[in-house]
Amino acid sequence: MLFSNARSAYVLGHFRSFISASLSRKYNRCCSWHRPHFFSRTFCKIPMAESAKKAAAIAAVNNHVKDKQIVGIGSGSTIVYAVERLAERVKKENLTLQCVPTSFQARQLIINNNLNLSDLEKTPCLDVAIDGADEVDTDLNLIKGGGGCLTQEKIIAYNAETFIVIADYRKDSKQFGEKWKKGVPIEVIAMAYKPVMKKIESLLGGQAVLRMAQAKAGPVVTDNGNLIVDWKFDKVSGNWQDINQTLMMIPGVVDTGLFVKMAKKVYFGMEDGSVSERG
């Protein structure tokens, strides 16, 4: 019995040493400071972007939301932090707010954070709307709709007295297409998607592509029951307001992801934790 216990302890000790060494080697391969490019790309970039989103969201909510306001709640990953900050302020400051969602996701965020849910029928005029963006140019024009909620987002933004945008440093561009490579999202009536795609290409060039779903067979379907066409533009001649008007005049187009001259201010969360403002 004594021999058996000693042998077991010996084997167990070697097993622990083996596991410890294996984990150490794996950690050193992946996380060694001698490989800063890998470490930065894999472990720092995502948390850094998330902290930047959070910083922008907090700044916007702190600066633009006041008691007894009606607030439009946007969609996407950045808006999660804005809603969390709203909930914190409501609890700490006893604010009375009415929140109007731009999507099913936004509606769930409002409910899950115990905020007062409203809609445009009950509160058609909003004090402020806060939303994200896929790309922002130097004139505060936006490309939105990467998440497929562009039409409802634009309706809420249009009906808000002040439209505030929150984004991380990766969304800041001098001109469209510099960083966002997926094109301009366009919501389209399902029966018209094919002629709409052909008309876009004939009028504006580039390539119009029907957006396909990732976790289901078939195309992406919006909250409104429509489809999304992504227009991947080449060199653009003319201003974006005219281009947006051209797209909107095509029968079958519901709305576009071009938000031209709508944003009053944009908050960019930066890599160093600071927040840059434009507008």
Side-chain angles (χ1 to χ4, degrees), residues 13 32 63 69 84 88 146 153 172 222 236 243-244 254 257:
S32 172
N63 292 342
Q69 282 188 330
E84 288 175 353
E88 288 176 359
E153 290 174 341
D172 186 9
T222 71
V236 174
I243 291 169
N244 184 62
V254 178

Side-chain angles (χ1 to χ4, degrees), residues 55-66 69 71-75 78-79 82 102 126-133 136 140 142 144 153 156-167 259 262-268 275-279:
I58 290 173
V61 171
N62 288 349
N63 292 342
H64 297 280
V65 176
K66 300 176 182 178
Q69 282 188 330
V71 183
I73 304 297
S75 306
T78 310
I79 206 67
T102 59
L126 289 71
D127 295 293
V128 61
I130 300 175
D131 206 346
V136 184
L140 296 188
L142 319 172
K144 289 177 53 55
E153 290 174 341
I156 295 298
Y158 180 81
N159 288 285
E161 184 176 338
T162 304
F163 177 39
I164 303 299
V165 176
I166 53 178
F259 285 51
M262 295 184 71
K264 181 175 182 179
K265 185 181 285 288
V266 180
Y267 289 86
F268 292 106
V275 176
S276 174
E277 301 179 20
R278 183 181 300 163

Side-chain angles (χ1 to χ4, degrees), residues 11 19 21 40 55 110 116-117 137 143 145 149 212 228 233 244 248:
V11 172
I19 293 297
S40 174
I110 293 167
N116 293 325
L117 177 67
D137 73 7
I143 290 180
C149 306
M212 304 304 290
I228 296 286
F233 52 88
N244 184 62
M248 290 297 298

Side-chain angles (χ1 to χ4, degrees), residues 148-212:
C149 306
L150 57 103
T151 298
Q152 291 177 214
E153 290 174 341
K154 189 175 283 188
I155 291 170
I156 295 298
Y158 180 81
N159 288 285
E161 184 176 338
T162 304
F163 177 39
I164 303 299
V165 176
I166 53 178
D168 64 77
Y169 54 90
R170 301 172 301 175
K171 310 301 176 64
D172 186 9
S173 297
K174 291 183 179 179
Q175 57 186 11
F176 286 158
E178 183 179 306
K179 294 181 180 178
W180 178 253
K181 306 297 183 182
K182 298 180 181 180
V184 176
I186 303 164
E187 186 162 352
V188 178
I189 299 292
M191 65 169 288
Y193 86 90
K194 197 67 175 181
V196 166
M197 289 168 59
K198 293 183 68 175
K199 197 66 175 177
I200 290 171
E201 292 177 350
S202 66
L203 290 173
L204 298 171
Q207 183 183 21
V209 180
L210 181 65
R211 188 184 298 182
M212 304 304 290

Side-chain angles (χ1 to χ4, degrees), residues 23-69:
L23 291 173
S24 178
R25 285 195 300 272
K26 185 176 181 180
Y27 178 82
N28 287 332
R29 280 201 307 272
C30 296
C31 305
S32 172
W33 290 102
H34 296 292
R35 294 192 176 187
H37 61 288
F38 181 90
F39 183 85
S40 174
R41 203 166 50 237
T42 307
F43 293 98
C44 292
K45 192 171 184 179
I46 294 175
M48 189 179 293
E50 292 303 312
S51 64
K53 292 178 185 180
K54 187 172 183 177
I58 290 173
V61 171
N62 288 349
N63 292 342
H64 297 280
V65 176
K66 300 176 182 178
D67 191 25
K68 298 180 181 179
Q69 282 188 330

Side-chain angles (χ1 to χ4, degrees), residues 1 4 8 10 12 16 23 26 54 57 62 67 82 89 93-94 113 116 125-126 143 148 161 182 190 208 229 271 277:
M1 188 69 179
S4 177
S8 297
Y10 175 80
L12 182 59
R16 286 174 175 168
L23 291 173
K26 185 176 181 180
K54 187 172 183 177
N62 288 349
D67 191 25
R89 288 194 60 196
E93 302 172 35
N94 198 28
N113 284 275
N116 293 325
C125 298
L126 289 71
I143 290 180
E161 184 176 338
K182 298 180 181 180
V229 168
E271 293 175 276
E277 301 179 20

